Structure formats: structure tokens, C-alpha cells
Amino acid sequence: MRRPSPLASLFAWAYALLLYGFIFAPVLVLVLFSFQESRLPVPPFDGPSLRWYEAMFADRRMMESLGNSLLVAFGAASVSLVLGFLAAYGLARHRIPGRAGLQLILTAPLTVSYLIIAMGLLITFNNLGVARSLWTVGIGHVVINLPLCFAILYSQMGGHQAQIERAARDLGAGEAQVLLLVTVPLLWPALFASFFLAFTFSWDEFLIAFLTSRFDVTLPVEIWSMLRSGLNPQTNAVGSFVFLISVALVLLLDLVVFGRKRR
Amino acid sequence: MSALSSRLRGAGFVAPALAWTVAFFLLPLAVMALYSVWQRVGMRLVTEPSLANYRAFVEKSYFLESLLNSLEVTLLVTALSVLLAYPLAWILAERVPPRWQRLALVLAVLPFWTSYVVRSYSWLLVLAEGGILSSALTGLGLAAEPVSLANSRAATVIGFVHFFVMLLTLTIYANLVQLPPSYRKAAQDLGAGPLRTFWHVILPLTLPGIMIGAFLTFVLCIGDYITPQILGGNNELLLPQTIMLQIQRRADFPMASALAMVLMAVVTLVYLACARWLKLERV
């Protein structure tokens, strides 16, 4: 292959640099001005100061919503994982009539926007007289995360694992033993990945949480209500904090799931 | 294990997930479809089926305009995102040494993991009056007055493009690295220059990646409420904003349901139009 000309190379690197700049600009601005001293997160920068982080940790509503978010994300991700795993196992390992149709129904929520899912739930809960709460938020988050967990796990249940499961069965293991002692350990990177993806999606989700919650809210909803007061360094602090947690989760996922594949 | 007992057990494993999806996804959609042919008159719900809400959608310029705005913004965002992301994905796949590619890719999509609401807010920090952009422009003497891009269509588009460039870089990169280098060599041996190789070989082969990314962009963009509400404001409404107004301000669930049905119909049409490029088993 020909070597690219120096001019083309220069152009390519300049372009990449420009796009990385565009991608990182808002995040850098967010984090920088979370350390602002004065009351407006706009230039000139007069920090560094930790006062807005202190304000954030002292804000009781904020901390409550943080706890709510963790709770809902953990619950919704767990339920999605278990239901998605069972469904993937059932469809991959047993002959079920109408398999294609079932797959279609189980993954259908991925193609519908959150706004529509949220609205449908809101109207249905209203009609049934179900009060909006963290429970209803969790139900909605399972709706969006279940298809994700199902799709990931289903794609990972190849024939190789089926043979090992069959061997276990031939050696006298019951269905529950096969599931817990063979399938789960074989699939655990995929299980871990789906749980964490579901967790981050739920942790970050706004619309469903906004429309199906009432008094107890999750963190994105609390941040949303802070936005009404305009630009505020405390919002920067919360945003940076949330970003830090998400990045930590992603790096953890990367290390655990992909780290094993490297030498 | 007999065939029948395998079927029964299999059904037992699928049942909980199926029940959840039916109860909390399909049933609410059906309820919404039903609501869309009801009306809200005053504070009462009239359950006489009629197409009045859909007629209102076609007749009131207010609703139709928000759909047109949504389509314009979404198409612009999709086109811009593809045009910006493709060269970046190409540089990542071709110019970055293989051992650095993973790191470069992880970095390129890192802000993807910022909270969605916070990401839009961050753009507000950049684009608002007195924000970074305004200060930079006045500081460089390029603008005499502080400028503000907040509450405009431009701000909405910038916020969206930022998000989807990351998404598309991922899908296009994944497609580019799968191409066997022999194809390109073959094209060059047959006398094609870099441009012709790209146009006749690389581009057609990466079309599936582009289409999957573009379709995802279209669907996520046209259904999003957060970005237009934070960055675009209320000067010009997109369809999801109109839907939310019907829910929050007016508590008109029938009209909101009808608009939601329109939104679903648009997405379905686009899906059917792109279906031949979207081999879903490859996603």
C-alpha cells in the first residue's frame, strides 16, 4: 500500500483534533466551571473552589434523589437481567412454537421512543388508579432494559455452550443445576455487561422517570428541575459528579468484560 | 427430555419476560391507540370513537408545523452527523496505529456516558449569552456584542449532532475495521486511485454501517424531548415538545396519544424505507 502523503496526514490529524475538541468541549466546560467560585458558571473562571460540591452534598433533596436513582437502577437492572436471561435461555435451548414472533415482541420496545413508552404507562397507571412512585419508574425502566438484556444474552448463547450443558445433563444434572452451575458461569461476562448497561441506562433515564414519578424523584428529574433556575455552578457540580460515576462504571465494565480477553 | 416437556419448560422460561412486555408495553400502547380516537371536552373524557384528534392534527397548522420542524431538524442532524463522523471513523480505522485504536475510540465516545440532561445543559454553558463561545468571540474581536445561540434551532442541532457523531463514529468504525484489506489492494492493482477505490469499493461496503447508524440517529432524534426543550426553548416547537405540552399544560391525553401515534407512524415509515439496508440480525 502507498504511504499517505504528509499533507493528507496533516489534514487528517487536524480534522481528528477538531472533532475531539467538539466532542469534549461541553464536558470540559462543565467540569471546569463546577469549580467556579462565584454564582455564575461563565467566564471569567475565578476558582478553583469546592463550594458547589459542598452545596451539592449538603442539598438533602439532591442526595435523596441520588439514593433513589441508585435504588431504581439497581432494582430495574436486576429484574431486567433475570427476566432477560430466563427468556434468552428458554428461546435458545427449547423448541418453542412461534419463536420468531416471541423474539419480535420481546425486542419491540427498543424501536419505540421513550416518550411514547412513558406516556402509555402514565395513561395506563392513571386509569388503573396506580399511584406514581419509584415503583412505577422501576417498572418503566424494566420495559426499556429487558429487551436489551434479552438481546445481548440471546446473541451469546451459542451452540458451544449448548454442548457443555448437554454434557452436564447427560451426567445427571437437573435443569436448575445446569442453569446455575453451567450456563451462568459460562455467560458471566455477558451477564455482567447487560446488568451494567441496564444500570447506566436506568440511572441516566429522564422521560419515563419524569412522567411516572411524583414526590420521590430520581437524579435526572431533580437536575431537570434545577435547570429552571438557569445556569448554576451547583448543576455543574452534580453533572460532573454523575459523569465521574458513569465513566467509572464504563471503565469497570471494560476491565471486567474485555480485560480477560487480553493476554 | 420429550419434545412436549421441552416446549412447556421453554414456555415457562419465556413467560415472565413476555408477561412484563405485554402488560407494561403492548397494553399501554393499545390504551394509547384507544385514547387517540377519544376526545377531551372540557374536563370530561368523551369515549365516542372519532377521528377528531387526527383531523385537528391535519387542520391546525400548530401541530403540522411541529412535525415539519421535527423532520427538518432530524434530517439535518442525521446528514451532518454522518458527514462529520465518517472521516473520524476512517481516521481511527486507517491512520491510528492499531494498538492505540481502542483507546482513541473509547475517548471519542466518553462524553456519550454523561447524563443526557447534563449534556444538553453543558451545551447551554457554551452557547448561552456570556458563555464560552460568546466570550471567545468578543475576546478575539470577532463580535462586538455578546452573542447567544441558546433558544434557537442552531443550538438544538449542535446538541444533537454532538451526541450522534459519537454514536455514528462507533457504528461506522465497526464496519470499516471488518473490511478485508485485500479488497482495497485488488482495486488498486486494477488501477483505481484512492478516490475511485473509496467511491466504488469502500463506501458501498460501509453502507450498512452508515444506514444502521443513520436509522438509529433518526429514531432517537425525532423522539427526543430533552435536547430541543433545553437548547431550543419554546420559540419553535418540535413534535415531542408539542406532545409534552398536551400532557403537562393541557392534560389532553387523547390529543397527546394521537400525536404519539403520528410519531410512531413516521418512524415505521422510515423503517420500512430503510429496511433493505437494515439487516437486523447484524446489529
Side-chain angles (χ1 to χ4, degrees):
Chain A
M1 222 167 70
R2 264 179 302 173
R3 279 188 63 76
S5 75
L7 190 68
S9 269
L10 187 72
F11 189 74
W13 290 119
Y15 183 84
L17 203 66
L18 206 68
L19 246 85
Y20 272 89
F22 173 64
I23 288 170
F24 275 93
V27 176
L28 292 178
V29 172
L30 176 82
V31 175
L32 176 67
F33 285 98
S34 69
F35 297 109
Q36 181 82 325
E37 170 68 38
S38 56
R39 307 195 126 266
L40 265 184
V42 294
F45 179 64
D46 57 8
S49 142
L50 287 176
R51 69 178 275 208
W52 299 108
Y53 286 91
E54 282 162 21
M56 169 184 91
F57 285 113
D59 186 335
R60 246 194 50 209
R61 277 192 61 85
M62 181 70 52
M63 287 299 112
E64 267 172 26
S65 67
L66 176 75
N68 291 343
S69 266
L70 290 172
L71 198 69
V72 169
F74 187 80
S78 308
V79 173
S80 308
L81 182 70
V82 173
L83 295 189
F85 171 69
L86 290 179
Y89 180 82
L91 276 175
R93 297 288 182 263
H94 293 273
R95 289 183 184 284
I96 299 177
R99 178 190 295 193
L102 285 172
Q103 255 169 276
L104 193 70
I105 292 177
L106 288 179
T107 49
L110 288 176
T111 59
V112 175
S113 84
Y114 288 3
L115 173 61
I116 293 175
I117 294 175
M119 226 178 94
L121 284 171
L122 173 63
I123 296 177
T124 310
F125 287 142
N126 271 351
N127 269 317
L128 296 174
V130 178
R132 286 173 285 157
S133 68
L134 291 180
W135 287 101
T136 49
V137 176
I139 287 174
H141 283 178
V142 173
V143 172
I144 58 169
N145 284 324
L146 172 57
L148 202 72
C149 292
F150 167 74
I152 294 174
L153 294 170
Y154 188 71
S155 73
Q156 296 296 314
M157 290 198 177
H160 168 61
Q161 275 120 343
Q163 280 171 4
I164 302 178
E165 285 164 13
R166 201 169 304 135
R169 224 171 263 132
D170 289 347
L171 293 169
E175 182 106 36
Q177 276 176 306
V178 173
L179 257 184
L180 290 176
L181 298 177
V182 180
T183 315
V184 168
L186 278 175
L187 272 179
W188 85 266
L191 288 165
F192 193 81
S194 358
F195 179 85
F196 269 85
L197 262 188
F199 189 95
T200 37
F201 273 47
S202 168
W203 156 257
D204 192 27
E205 200 285 329
F206 167 72
L207 260 179
I208 296 174
F210 183 56
L211 285 182
T212 61
S213 66
R214 194 154 189 193
F215 302 116
D216 294 319
V217 297
T218 60
L219 192 57
V221 179
E222 180 63 26
I223 295 175
W224 179 267
S225 61
M226 279 180 78
L227 292 188
R228 263 185 242 146
S229 57
L231 302 183
N232 176 350
Q234 196 187 324
T235 313
N236 288 49
V238 183
S240 308
F241 182 66
V242 172
F243 180 52
L244 190 75
I245 293 182
S246 302
V247 169
L249 284 179
V250 174
L251 290 182
L252 184 71
L253 178 72
D254 199 63
L255 277 179
V256 172
V257 177
F258 299 105
R260 299 199 322 164
K261 288 186 186 159
R262 272 179 243 153
R263 278 155 293 156
Chain B
M1 211 171 6
S2 77
L4 180 67
S5 93
S6 169
R7 279 186 186 187
L8 281 178
R9 283 199 198 188
F13 282 116
V14 182
L18 186 66
W20 197 286
T21 309
V22 170
F24 300 119
F25 175 70
L26 291 180
L27 176 75
L29 282 189
V31 171
M32 227 166 31
L34 191 64
Y35 258 70
S36 76
V37 294
W38 292 353
Q39 279 81 51
R40 205 197 68 147
V41 180
M43 290 308 280
R44 259 175 355 101
L45 203 60
V46 178
T47 55
E48 183 92 359
S50 89
L51 290 177
N53 293 324
Y54 293 98
R55 208 172 303 127
F57 169 73
V58 183
E59 281 168 4
K60 285 190 185 158
S61 59
Y62 169 75
F63 293 131
L64 212 51
E65 249 167 49
S66 72
L67 174 63
L68 289 180
N69 289 338
S70 270
L71 286 173
E72 280 170 24
V73 166
T74 303
L75 289 174
L76 182 64
V77 165
T78 309
L80 275 177
S81 305
V82 172
L83 288 178
L84 286 173
Y86 199 105
L88 184 63
W90 189 85
I91 291 168
L92 284 175
E94 300 286 326
R95 292 293 165 93
V96 175
R99 52 184 305 215
W100 295 108
Q101 279 187 14
R102 252 185 78 79
L103 180 68
L105 197 68
V106 168
L107 273 180
V109 297
L110 200 63
F112 200 75
W113 301 102
T114 344
S115 151
Y116 201 96
V117 174
V118 171
R119 198 177 315 113
S120 293
Y121 169 79
S122 311
W123 273 110
L124 206 57
L125 292 170
V126 175
L127 300 173
E129 189 174 335
I132 296 285
L133 185 72
S134 169
S135 309
L137 287 178
T138 45
L140 291 170
L142 292 171
E145 303 273 306
V147 281
S148 166
L149 274 177
N151 295 324
S152 70
R153 181 183 279 203
T156 307
V157 170
I158 291 174
F160 270 137
V161 168
H162 177 245
F163 183 69
F164 292 116
V165 158
M166 295 188 271
L167 186 77
L168 279 157
T169 303
L170 269 183
T171 62
I172 298 173
Y173 170 84
N175 212 276
L176 277 172
V177 290
Q178 278 172 6
L179 298 184
S182 52
Y183 286 16
R184 186 195 333 241
K185 273 202 197 115
Q188 279 168 356
D189 288 349
L190 292 169
L195 272 181
R196 280 184 68 186
T197 308
F198 176 75
W199 188 254
H200 291 288
V201 180
I202 312 277
L203 190 61
L205 286 172
T206 47
L207 206 57
I210 298 176
M211 289 307 290
I212 287 169
F215 176 72
L216 272 178
T217 304
F218 188 94
V219 171
L220 293 175
C221 183
I222 202 163
D224 183 44
Y225 167 72
I226 300 166
T227 304
Q229 185 64 26
I230 294 180
L231 290 171
N234 288 320
N235 293 334
E236 165 190 87
L237 296 184
L238 303 191
L239 189 56
Q241 292 176 288
T242 315
I243 295 177
M244 284 296 275
L245 272 182
Q246 295 299 318
I247 300 176
Q248 292 189 283
R249 278 303 153 67
R250 312 201 45 225
D252 190 341
F253 289 111
M255 190 66 221
S257 300
L259 294 172
M261 291 294 134
V262 172
L263 180 58
M264 278 182 74
V266 170
V267 171
T268 309
L269 282 178
V270 172
Y271 173 72
L272 291 177
C274 309
R276 65 192 179 111
W277 288 291
L278 304 170
K279 294 187 192 123
L280 278 181
E281 71 266 27
R282 294 183 58 181
V283 176

